[in-house]
């Protein structure tokens, strides 16, 4: 029997946010180019990752997801989320 190891996503506990009715594994990321803070989270039903930044809202692709090795364009992906 083969077991698949899920990729591990480590986030600091101080940026973790509570789940809501639609999103889980929510956490904040700070923009590198401004004082803005965006929220990254996983859709509970469809299992894709999203970001609240303009790039993801417009194009369903953003540098924040890419930096975390998370897929863009609403592709589902499971991870092992660890709060540090």
């Amino acid at each position: 029997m083969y077991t698949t190891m899920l990729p591990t996503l480590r986030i600091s506990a101080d940026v973790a946010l509570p789940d809501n009715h639609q999103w889980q594994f929510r956490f904040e990321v700070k923009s590198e180019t401004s004082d803005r803070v965006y929220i990254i989270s996983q859709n509970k039903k469809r299992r894709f990752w999203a970001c609240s930044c303009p790039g993801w809202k417009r194009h369903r692709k953003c540098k924040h997801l890419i930096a975390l090795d998370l897929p863009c364009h609403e592709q589902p992906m499971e991870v092992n989320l660890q709060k540090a």
Side-chain angles (χ1 to χ4, degrees):
M1 176 180 200
Y2 295 100
T3 57
T4 304
M5 294 286 294
L6 294 177
T8 299
L9 181 60
R10 290 181 178 85
I11 62 164
S12 176
D14 61 328
V15 299
L17 299 169
D19 293 353
N20 64 29
H21 71 282
Q22 186 177 359
W23 301 97
Q24 64 185 4
F25 308 134
R26 299 171 65 231
F27 60 95
E28 296 178 336
V29 293
K30 183 163 176 11
S31 171
E32 292 181 357
T33 57
S34 72
D35 290 334
R36 293 182 180 161
V37 175
Y38 302 114
I39 298 173
I40 293 178
S41 56
Q42 186 183 43
N43 183 278
K44 285 183 176 181
K45 290 184 182 178
R46 295 183 42 217
R47 313 304 287 171
F48 66 86
W49 289 85
C51 183
S52 64
C53 76
W56 194 86
K57 288 179 179 180
R58 287 186 202 124
H59 309 291
R60 295 297 191 248
K61 183 176 181 180
C62 79
K63 62 185 177 184
H64 309 106
L65 294 177
I66 292 168
L68 294 167
D69 289 328
L70 294 171
C72 298
H73 304 292
E74 298 187 11
Q75 292 178 282
M77 179 180 177
E78 298 299 324
V79 300
N80 177 20
L81 185 75
Q82 292 183 350
K83 296 178 186 174

